[in-house]
């Protein structure tokens, strides 16, 4: 079965650079979530999209932005990178969040290292 | 505010039974999920509860009491491969997932 695809899997950037992470949800999933997970920490919700519109916003820094495109893939854009942005970034997808019980399926994550 | 509590670490012996508790206080409630996460890997779904009671799924069971804001994950016949972090997550009134800090379970031979 198709899973959530994230690219790249690993990314190394320097401080003040920009990065773009991509997420391709499971086919027919219209909702995408982005999470940041630091070492030894639980996933922190950043932002979510439903039907190409932002549905909710969590602890996403102003330096970050995201969008969902017409094919439902999503991109997380990160600018002015800081050392503290080094983390595992997960994307998850689900069906219409209004339907109870629709679990999130997580992608393998993108490991971002900021030097 | 949103708050989910779980024990930080637990240790159990292979073949035993272990119960991982989770208490939550969230803005609205639309279900509670348990995920397993091995180090450096993505969380994988284990169970879902939206109504009070016990949901059983093979070696794993999950219980929910909405009035108490409480859930537990029960793992039976523990295997070494069950050593992982177990995340309790609540879907709040805004349909967003709020994760707990995770419980790191170590299964010993």
């Amino acid at each position: 079965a198709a899973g959530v695809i994230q690219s790249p899997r690993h990314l190394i950037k320097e401080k003040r650079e920009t990065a773009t992470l991509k997420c391709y949800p499971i086919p027919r999933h219209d909702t995408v979530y982005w999470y940041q997970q630091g070492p030894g920490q639980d996933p922190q919700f950043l932002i979510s999209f439903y039907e190409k519109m932002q549905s909710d916003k969590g602890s996403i820094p102003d330096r970050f932005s995201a969008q969902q495109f017409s094919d439902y893939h999503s991109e997380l854009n990160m600018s002015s990178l800081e050392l503290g942005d080094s983390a595992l970034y997960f994307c998850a997808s689900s069906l219409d969040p209004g339907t109870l019980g629709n679990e999130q399926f997580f992608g393998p994550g993108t490991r971002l290292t900021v030097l | 505010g949103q708050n989910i509590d779980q024990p930080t670490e637990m240790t159990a012996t292979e073949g035993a039974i272990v119960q991982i508790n989770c208490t939550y206080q969230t803005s609205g409630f639309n279900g509670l999920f348990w995920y397993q996460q091995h180090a450096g890997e993505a969380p994988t779904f284990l169970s879902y509860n939206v109504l009070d009671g016990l949901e059983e799924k093979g070696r794993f069971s999950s219980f929910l009491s909405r009035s108490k804001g409480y859930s537990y994950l029960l793992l039976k016949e523990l295997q070494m491969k069950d050593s992982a972090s177990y995340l309790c997550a609540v879907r709040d009134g805004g349909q967003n997932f709020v994760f707990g800090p995770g419980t790191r379970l170590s299964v010993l031979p």
Side-chain angles (χ1 to χ4, degrees), chain B:
Chain B
Q2 314 275 56
N3 188 48
I4 298 181
D5 283 322
Q6 302 177 235
T8 305
E9 291 187 14
M10 297 184 72
T11 303
T13 307
E14 196 174 13
I17 300 173
V18 70
Q19 177 175 313
I20 303 175
N21 296 324
C22 170
T23 58
Y24 64 90
Q25 292 173 306
T26 56
S27 303
F29 178 83
N30 281 310
L32 187 143
F33 298 75
W34 283 95
Y35 289 86
Q36 180 192 61
Q37 186 177 27
H38 287 96
E41 298 182 9
T44 55
F45 171 79
L46 291 178
S47 70
Y48 165 74
N49 295 73
V50 69
L51 299 175
D52 291 351
L54 188 69
E55 293 286 338
E56 297 188 77
K57 201 173 182 182
R59 294 190 299 117
F60 297 158
S61 303
S62 58
F63 171 83
L64 174 68
S65 169
R66 289 171 296 170
S67 62
K68 296 181 180 177
Y70 167 72
S71 172
Y72 68 73
L73 178 70
L74 195 70
L75 293 79
K76 305 174 192 173
E77 301 168 14
L78 281 174
Q79 302 174 9
M80 299 297 289
K81 67 179 182 179
D82 296 330
S83 293
S85 287
Y86 291 85
L87 304 172
C88 170
V90 173
R91 178 183 259 156
D92 65 15
Q95 304 294 351
N96 291 300
F97 282 69
V98 181
F99 280 83
T103 298
R104 186 182 302 277
L105 175 65
S106 298
V107 180
L108 305 177

Side-chain angles (χ1 to χ4, degrees), chain A residues 33 35 37 40-43 45 48 55-57 88 90 94-95 97-109 111, chain B residues 29-31 33 35 37 39-46 48 50 57 87 91-92 94-102 104:
Chain A
Y33 307 78
Y35 292 90
Q37 187 173 30
Q41 298 179 1
D42 56 294
F45 169 70
S48 63
S55 56
D56 214 330
K57 201 170 182 179
L88 202 52
F90 287 111
S94 73
L95 291 170
T99 305
L100 294 179
N102 281 327
E103 69 191 83
Q104 294 183 335
F105 292 84
F106 283 79
R111 184 172 297 283
Chain B
F29 178 83
N30 281 310
F33 298 75
Y35 289 86
Q37 186 177 27
E41 298 182 9
T44 55
F45 171 79
L46 291 178
Y48 165 74
V50 69
K57 201 173 182 182
L87 304 172
R91 178 183 259 156
D92 65 15
Q95 304 294 351
N96 291 300
F97 282 69
V98 181
F99 280 83
R104 186 182 302 277

Side-chain angles (χ1 to χ4, degrees), chain A:
Chain A
V4 177
I5 298 171
Q6 289 187 248
S7 69
R9 293 294 307 277
H10 301 273
L11 189 60
I12 299 175
K13 291 284 185 178
E14 298 200 352
K15 283 196 311 183
R16 292 180 289 278
E17 285 191 320
T18 61
T20 297
L21 310 185
K22 296 185 179 181
C23 169
Y24 298 86
I26 291 172
R28 293 190 300 280
H29 281 192
D30 48 21
T31 306
V32 169
Y33 307 78
W34 284 98
Y35 292 90
Q36 177 192 60
Q37 187 173 30
Q41 298 179 1
D42 56 294
Q44 294 294 317
F45 169 70
L46 293 179
I47 194 167
S48 63
F49 293 88
Y50 167 61
E51 280 293 340
K52 293 154 279 185
M53 299 286 289
Q54 180 182 307
S55 56
D56 214 330
K57 201 170 182 179
S59 54
I60 184 169
D62 292 339
R63 299 178 289 108
F64 295 4
S65 64
Q67 56 182 323
Q68 186 179 31
F69 295 86
S70 57
D71 64 352
Y72 295 103
H73 95 272
S74 178
E75 295 184 3
L76 178 67
N77 299 295
M78 310 159 73
S79 62
S80 303
L81 286 169
E82 301 173 357
L83 296 178
D85 296 329
S86 295
L88 202 52
Y89 290 83
F90 287 111
C91 168
S93 75
S94 73
L95 291 170
D96 173 7
T99 305
L100 294 179
N102 281 327
E103 69 191 83
Q104 294 183 335
F105 292 84
F106 283 79
T110 294
R111 184 172 297 283
L112 172 67
T113 302
V114 181
L115 303 175

